[in-house]
Structures are given as C-alpha cells and as structure tokens.
Amino acid sequence: MSFLNIIYTRNASKYKKSLRNILEYIKYLGTNLKNQNSIAEEIKSKLRSGNACYHSVQNLLSSRLLTKNLKIKIYRIIILPVVLYGCETCSLTLREKRKLRVFENMVLRRIFGPRRDEVTGEWRRLHNKKVNDLYTPPNIERVIKSRRMRWAGHVARMGAERGAYRVLLGKPEGRRSLGRPRCRWVDNNRMDLQEVGCGYMDWIGLA
C-alpha cells in the first residue's frame, strides 16, 4: 500500500468516527442534544458549569463581610441561571432531581455556614431540613417547574404553523422500544399541574 493510500485510509476512518459522534451528540445553543433523548448528560453538563461558576465565587459566599441575603442574591443571579439554562424543555427523573437538590444544598451550606451544636458545642454542617428551613425562596426544583409550566403556556398559545406546537401535538411513528417508557416533558407538566390542583383539566385549552 502506498503512502498516500495509508494517509487516505487513516483520514477516512477519523472522519467516519467524527461523523458518528456528531450523529450521537450535538451541542446547539448551549444545550446538549443526543439521539437517545437522554437528559442525564445534559444535567451533568449543567452541573459542571454550575460548579465552575460556584468555585469562582465561593470566597464571596463564605465571606463574613457580606450578609446572608446578599449571598443568596449572588447565588440566584450568578450561579442559578447557569444551571437552569434551557430547563424549560427538560423532562427530569427522580435521579436528576436529586442531583440538582444536592448541588443547591452544597451552595446553601457554603452560604449559611456550619452551626454549633447546643449540647456538645461542636461545629457541624447543616442537615438538609435545616437548610430548606433557612432558604425561603423557591428551591431549584420548584423554579424548574415554574419555568416549565410558563413555557408550556407559550407553546400552547402558538399557532399550528409553529414547529414547537407541532412537536407538542405530534405522535411519533414506529414501534416503541421494550421496557418502561421514559418520562416525557408532557408527563412532567401533568404532574406539575396535579400539584396545583389542575391535573384533571385540559392544560392546552386552559392556556
């Protein structure tokens, strides 16, 4: 085999591998899209970005010169938008919800700091229940639900010629894969509406 044929063969295999990766995964407008329609990688990517943003301001969050309210504003203005970018279209499972809550509790523990035990006098980190009691704004899960319902209302009010509306009402063709069906975006919306007492209503007509 000639030298040119060797170079061509290597480049062809490299291009095929790159094309395969593009078909399996693509990043569009800051959102990770996969052919398997899995939200797990998207949440991991958002949490990595959120962790990077958190480490850049963690000295401010632990500073004694700033008040707790100002630290919470820093979290909600700087860190939270990075994690929740594009969350309106996410269909979260219990595993992803837990990961998001763990991240938020980590940031809030940095903000509120440890507490001294009244009995032993030792310093210990706050439990999740105490953190939730101290943090009065809606937690990260409720923020996602609120944004998702607001986006659902926007999509429902779109005309039939809009692509998002056609995707909402469209029925995919073909046979479904074996196993338990995945939680869809529409399923998340129905569960959110059940929490506010509107689960029995036609939410598209209500919007």
Side-chain angles (χ1 to χ4, degrees):
M1 182 180 292
S2 65
F3 177 75
L4 292 178
N5 289 336
I6 294 175
I7 297 298
Y8 175 78
T9 304
R10 289 180 178 177
N11 290 336
S13 61
K14 182 174 65 174
Y15 293 149
K16 288 180 180 179
K17 184 177 180 181
S18 300
L19 181 59
R20 192 182 306 112
N21 293 334
I22 292 174
L23 295 176
E24 293 178 356
Y25 163 81
I26 188 173
K27 192 166 187 176
Y28 178 71
L29 297 179
T31 302
N32 299 320
L33 304 176
K34 299 195 68 175
N35 59 357
Q36 298 298 325
N37 195 25
S38 175
I39 198 64
E41 293 299 325
E42 170 68 9
I43 296 300
K44 287 182 181 179
S45 176
K46 299 300 182 188
L47 291 179
R48 282 195 298 267
S49 301
N51 273 309
C53 187
Y54 161 70
H55 287 295
S56 66
V57 298
Q58 63 177 343
N59 291 334
L60 294 176
L61 299 181
S62 58
S63 174
R64 295 185 178 181
L65 301 177
L66 303 180
T67 63
K68 296 293 190 299
N69 291 334
L70 184 56
K71 294 177 183 178
I72 291 176
K73 287 183 179 179
I74 292 175
Y75 164 63
R76 294 183 62 83
I77 294 175
I78 298 179
I79 303 176
L80 199 60
V82 175
V83 180
L84 298 186
Y85 178 79
C87 67
E88 295 85 354
T89 59
C90 291
S91 56
L92 300 178
T93 62
L94 293 177
R95 180 180 300 176
E96 275 66 52
K97 291 178 182 178
R98 182 179 179 277
K99 290 180 180 179
L100 292 170
R101 288 196 300 267
V102 168
F103 171 79
E104 183 173 64
N105 289 337
M106 176 192 67
V107 179
L108 294 179
R109 285 193 180 95
R110 171 72 65 172
I111 292 175
F112 295 116
R115 289 291 186 272
R116 186 185 293 273
D117 190 278
E118 298 179 355
V119 179
T120 62
E122 297 178 352
W123 291 90
R124 60 171 56 185
R125 71 174 196 168
L126 298 176
H127 297 292
N128 290 340
K129 186 178 183 306
K130 186 63 176 178
V131 170
N132 295 331
D133 293 339
L134 293 174
Y135 186 63
T136 53
N139 58 33
I140 189 169
E141 186 178 347
R142 299 194 68 85
V143 173
I144 292 176
K145 291 180 180 180
S146 175
R147 294 187 182 184
R148 193 163 51 203
M149 292 176 66
R150 184 166 62 245
W151 172 245
H154 289 320
V155 176
R157 289 187 293 272
M158 290 179 180
E161 70 281 356
R162 301 288 294 276
Y165 187 83
R166 293 200 302 269
V167 171
L168 174 63
L169 300 182
K171 300 292 184 180
E173 299 179 357
R175 297 179 59 183
R176 184 178 66 83
S177 59
L178 298 178
R180 180 180 179 181
R182 294 176 180 173
C183 185
R184 302 172 299 173
W185 181 76
V186 177
D187 299 329
N188 280 154
N189 280 331
R190 291 198 182 100
M191 289 186 289
D192 297 342
L193 290 172
Q194 288 176 359
E195 292 184 5
V196 297
C198 300
Y200 60 92
M201 296 183 180
D202 178 18
W203 66 270
I204 296 180
L206 183 63

